[in-house]
Amino acid sequence: MAAQDGERQTIEMTDSLVFDPDSITIAPGDTIDWVNVGGIGHSVTAYEDEIPEDAEYFASGDFDAEGPARNGYAVGNTAAGDIPGGESFRHTFDVAGSYEYFCIPHEGVGMVASIEVTPGGAQEGSDGPAIPTIPDAAWTLVVLTTVALLTVTGLAYIFLKYGGDYGLEEEG
């Protein structure tokens, strides 16, 4: 698919079995070039149920659906979806929404990624990388662990200071 006056972004596929970056925000009309910077073959395959309903399906090997892409993938065969080292795959995103995709041979080890297509792209409300948030359950665990540590430390102090031998002598 040809670029439609949008920007070009590059995502690297590495021998560490990751897409780098694994999450990106772009604007409608932007094009992504996936470049294999390693020696291990990879694929770029959209999860059919994880792209906007009216978006064009994308997969290396020009498959038009996830099932045929999974079934047709063959290592070393670019027509069957393999992107060998030094090669690339390109797709232009025209429809706003969230897109999830994966590498067929390395999906099981977590080679998955996402694209967010929003009007304005990465500039919209972004002054830099997103700051990760800590879930409420993690904060609760931190608070409870701190309380437990302080309780044990306090009890240890009391037992060491006031417990034990009180200097009583045996009567005989």
Side-chain angles (χ1 to χ4, degrees), residues 153-163:
T153 304
L155 287 173
Y157 174 78
I158 290 170
F159 288 136
L160 288 173
K161 179 148 178 92
Y162 302 107

Side-chain angles (χ1 to χ4, degrees), residues 25-157:
T25 300
I26 62 172
D30 285 358
T31 298
I32 294 183
D33 288 315
W34 286 270
V35 179
N36 187 341
V37 297
I40 299 171
H42 296 290
S43 78
V44 174
T45 311
Y47 286 111
E48 199 165 359
D49 295 337
E50 300 295 328
I51 64 173
E53 188 174 309
D54 49 348
E56 178 184 0
Y57 183 80
F58 65 97
S60 52
D62 293 325
F63 293 100
D64 58 2
E66 183 179 344
R70 285 182 183 273
N71 295 331
Y73 178 81
V75 175
N77 184 346
T78 56
D82 189 57
I83 304 168
E87 298 294 319
S88 65
F89 170 73
R90 174 180 304 146
H91 183 76
T92 300
F93 293 84
D94 295 319
V95 177
S98 297
Y99 296 76
E100 304 286 330
Y101 65 96
F102 64 100
C103 172
I104 291 172
H106 305 119
E107 176 185 22
V109 295
M111 192 168 178
V112 297
S114 64
I115 302 164
E116 190 68 32
V117 179
T118 61
Q123 291 77 32
E124 184 176 282
S126 175
D127 292 333
I131 298 172
T133 57
I134 299 175
D136 290 340
W139 279 117
T140 302
L141 183 62
V142 167
V143 169
L144 291 176
T145 302
T146 302
V147 168
L149 179 63
L150 292 173
T151 301
V152 169
T153 304
L155 287 173
Y157 174 78

Side-chain angles (χ1 to χ4, degrees), residues 13-25:
M13 299 177 285
T14 72
D15 285 349
S16 298
L17 309 181
V18 295
F19 292 104
D20 185 22
D22 63 359
S23 177
I24 190 169
T25 300

